[in-house]
Amino acid sequence: MQKADLVRVFVKGGIISPGDFLKMIQTVQALGTSYIHLGSRQDVLFPLKNKNLESLNHTFNSIDTPFDTDGEEYHNIVSSYPAVDVMPTTHWLASHTYHYVLDTFDYKPKLKINITDPVQSLVPLFTGNINFVASPVENYWYLYLNFSKVDTKPWCAPELIYGYDLAKVAKEIEALAPFEERLKYEEIYQQVINKVQPDLQKMEQELDYPEGTTPYYEGMNRIVGGKYWLGLYWRNNKFSIAFLIALCQLCIKTNIGKICLTPWKSLIVKGIAEKDRLSWEKLLGKFGINIRHSSIELNWHIPVLDEEALELKNYLVRALDKQDISTYGLSFSIKTKPMSLFTTVAIEKAEKEKENDPDTFNILYSKKFNPNLSEYLYFVKQVPLETLPPLLIELSYKYYDQLELQKTQELTDPKASEVKKINKKYQCKNCLSVFDEKYGDPESDIEPYTSFIKLPDSYTCPICDSPKSAFKFIES
């Protein structure tokens, strides 16, 4: 199956109701397909050699969800909605805020658009051409533009934009395309602002680039109110239609309102009640679903239908697993063709000088091991396949060494510029207790100047025992 045979469904913001998802996959099944793929832009893709447009139009018009059968002319709008209740969030950014903002996008974008919360780490901030990032000011957003075909730091607009004007700004930016060669970012921005005249606010502080921590997105996990979220991942990114139909039916039966898609090609179901846990466990058992993959297996990003990249990933996972090493905190990409990177480490296929030369590879890593900085450095160039596993292990040591050095600097020199960033506060929305990074949590053996983002997923509120996801970032 080739990419040309794929139908791409634009699940706006990675949010879809179980009823709409059920209609979609039942149509896919009726057209002769037994599985779907998930894309890195929170879209759904499925192979279909005989594209019955009448049937597709009927289904997707009924659920008000656009699709594309002609490659990658259009793109899905990415959002960090799936991270709500799964991990800490900006204090004002709630589920309904995402819905209001996403509902204002009434067109099919040709540019990649990201709408994200900088506190979470599940959804990358800067993999779009137009990137809106939540600011500390309620319902005002940073704007970052990046139209480069290589990984470069995005340009930041000088003002914050009101949430309900994001769609108008994005649509007007797209109307200027193609403009990469004739207009600078500042000129694009000024033309758009002059025409749209959105509600703006002066930027009082620049975005504090969040640490690029590797997210955990699998398994059954407790959230606020005694409910649970379930993360599901398929090793080969072929999600069984039969299982998905059963999943949607159970969502409907147990009053689950939304299913979320993540850029890590996984599904998240939120709001599972304690009384329904057994039903979900039975569903997973009936279909033999594994929800305990190792971090070495989970934290990879590879393109859809790229068999070469998948084969390389499987080889590296097996080789690293045999070494019994930790890759906690690291994430990896396989880059055989141009693509946006959002992981800490990337393995890319090197260009050959001669056609018959053996394959060699480059290893890159993000500056300060933080992919949000959008800058990548070469670790090695043009090395053979068999040397990749030991070199990745060596790079992992480099990562852990810099973590230890940073921790030492934080403890010995609390006035250092890096430490000044580690004084944020997060508040539990159940009991309103505050975790202050400056003081840590001595009763839980959390030392002062410990980044909240780096706390383990098992961390709970010392007062009311709420999970880590119950905390919201508040201004220091």
Side-chain angles (χ1 to χ4, degrees):
M1 188 64 65
Q2 303 298 315
K3 282 194 175 182
D5 298 318
L6 288 178
V7 175
R8 187 180 302 270
V9 183
F10 304 110
V11 179
K12 191 189 296 183
I15 314 165
I16 189 166
S17 73
D20 287 351
F21 200 23
L22 182 58
K23 288 180 183 178
M24 179 198 305
I25 56 184
Q26 285 176 330
T27 298
V28 173
Q29 185 184 49
L31 293 172
T33 298
S34 59
Y35 60 87
I36 64 167
H37 302 291
L38 298 182
S40 59
R41 292 200 62 79
Q42 296 171 298
D43 40 9
V44 173
L45 306 98
F46 57 89
L48 209 61
K49 288 199 172 182
N50 299 313
K51 297 174 182 175
N52 187 327
L53 292 181
E54 183 178 352
S55 179
L56 293 174
N57 279 322
H58 175 75
T59 295
F60 291 111
N61 286 340
S62 72
I63 63 175
D64 193 25
T65 301
F67 69 97
D68 187 21
T69 60
D70 300 316
E72 298 187 22
E73 181 181 1
Y74 298 97
H75 294 284
N76 195 37
I77 300 173
V78 164
S79 87
S80 55
Y81 175 93
V84 175
D85 292 329
V86 171
M87 53 184 58
T89 57
T90 295
H91 68 98
W92 57 265
L93 196 49
S95 298
H96 68 269
T97 313
Y98 283 106
H99 284 294
Y100 287 149
V101 170
L102 288 166
D103 285 347
T104 62
F105 284 83
D106 57 358
Y107 68 101
K108 220 160 76 168
K110 291 187 176 181
L111 296 177
K112 296 177 181 177
I113 299 172
N114 287 21
I115 302 171
T116 55
D117 179 355
V119 176
Q120 58 81 43
S121 60
L122 183 65
V123 178
L125 306 187
F126 301 125
T127 54
N129 305 120
I130 304 171
N131 304 282
F132 297 109
V133 182
S135 80
V137 182
E138 184 167 350
N139 211 6
Y140 281 86
W141 301 71
Y142 298 100
L143 167 64
Y144 286 83
L145 300 179
N146 191 356
F147 298 99
S148 173
K149 291 181 172 61
V150 297
D151 292 294
T152 56
K153 192 170 183 178
W155 175 84
C156 183
E159 293 143 324
L160 304 177
I161 301 172
Y162 186 56
Y164 303 141
D165 288 329
L166 302 188
K168 290 186 286 186
V169 169
K171 192 171 186 178
E172 189 59 33
I173 291 173
E174 189 160 298
L176 292 174
F179 45 64
E180 293 95 323
E181 296 182 0
R182 61 185 178 86
L183 289 176
K184 295 180 179 179
Y185 289 129
E186 294 88 343
E187 295 172 321
I188 295 168
Y189 175 72
Q190 203 54 57
Q191 284 193 31
V192 169
I193 296 307
N194 289 343
K195 185 165 184 179
V196 175
Q197 295 189 342
D199 183 353
L200 302 174
Q201 191 163 131
K202 184 179 178 182
M203 186 192 302
E204 298 292 345
Q205 65 181 78
E206 295 182 358
L207 175 66
D208 183 6
Y209 283 81
E211 299 171 18
T213 53
T214 304
Y216 179 74
Y217 56 87
E218 190 186 42
M220 187 76 75
N221 307 272
R222 193 164 62 87
I223 59 176
V224 177
K227 293 189 176 183
Y228 296 83
W229 67 268
L230 173 65
L232 298 171
Y233 160 83
W234 259 252
R235 178 176 284 125
N236 61 2
N237 194 22
K238 290 183 177 180
F239 287 74
S240 157
I241 293 290
F243 170 74
L244 291 177
I245 288 175
L247 179 140
C248 290
Q249 290 171 338
L250 184 55
C251 282
I252 294 168
K253 181 179 178 181
T254 57
N255 298 313
I256 302 293
K258 302 293 179 186
I259 294 173
C260 300
L261 315 182
T262 84
W264 297 89
K265 302 180 176 67
S266 69
L267 289 171
I268 288 179
V269 178
K270 294 185 279 189
I272 296 173
E274 178 68 49
K275 66 181 179 63
D276 297 321
R277 274 192 68 185
L278 182 58
S279 297
W280 284 93
E281 289 170 1
K282 285 181 178 179
L283 175 70
L284 299 177
K286 178 181 177 181
F287 286 90
I289 306 301
N290 177 17
I291 56 171
R292 293 179 179 84
H293 293 88
S294 69
S295 61
I296 293 177
E297 166 74 38
L298 286 173
N299 299 326
W300 289 77
H301 174 236
I302 59 174
V304 175
L305 282 187
D306 192 327
E307 293 298 328
E308 183 181 14
L310 181 59
E311 184 179 345
L312 178 55
K313 175 207 165 176
N314 290 337
Y315 165 76
L316 292 173
V317 167
R318 288 193 301 267
L320 293 172
D321 195 44
K322 287 179 182 178
Q323 298 294 322
D324 197 26
I325 68 159
S326 171
T327 57
Y328 180 79
L330 292 173
S331 53
F332 304 86
S333 294
I334 302 288
K335 186 178 181 182
T336 57
K337 300 170 185 175
M339 58 183 274
S340 297
L341 297 174
F342 62 83
T343 58
T344 46
V345 179
I347 300 98
E348 70 175 5
K349 196 172 181 180
E351 292 187 11
K352 296 181 180 181
E353 293 184 7
K354 298 178 181 178
E355 186 177 347
N356 294 327
D357 286 348
D359 288 340
T360 59
F361 301 87
N362 307 325
I363 299 178
L364 303 87
Y365 64 99
S366 51
K367 185 178 180 181
K368 297 183 179 179
F369 289 94
N370 185 348
N372 288 319
L373 297 178
S374 303
E375 297 179 56
Y376 284 81
L377 311 171
Y378 281 99
F379 183 59
V380 293
K381 291 184 178 182
Q382 295 184 312
V383 297
L385 174 65
E386 60 270 17
T387 65
L388 287 178
L391 287 169
L392 289 174
I393 292 172
E394 185 179 336
L395 184 56
S396 73
Y397 293 152
K398 180 181 176 73
Y399 167 68
Y400 294 120
D401 285 345
Q402 62 91 31
L403 281 184
E404 189 62 33
L405 177 62
Q406 178 182 328
K407 184 176 180 181
T408 302
Q409 290 174 338
E410 291 167 4
L411 293 175
T412 58
D413 183 12
K415 294 183 180 179
S417 59
E418 285 300 311
V419 174
K420 288 180 181 178
K421 295 181 180 179
I422 306 179
N423 62 359
K424 302 186 185 74
K425 296 177 182 178
Y426 294 80
Q427 187 172 51
C428 173
K429 59 185 180 184
N430 285 330
C431 69
L432 304 183
S433 64
V434 173
F435 178 92
D436 190 329
E437 292 179 335
K438 183 177 179 181
Y439 300 108
D441 183 356
E443 292 185 3
S444 302
D445 296 323
I446 306 299
E447 297 177 344
Y449 294 104
T450 296
S451 169
F452 183 83
I453 300 298
K454 288 185 178 179
L455 296 181
D457 294 320
S458 59
Y459 178 78
T460 58
C461 175
I463 305 300
C464 69
D465 203 34
S466 291
K468 183 180 175 184
S469 60
F471 285 80
K472 286 185 172 286
F473 169 72
I474 57 176
E475 293 184 68
S476 300

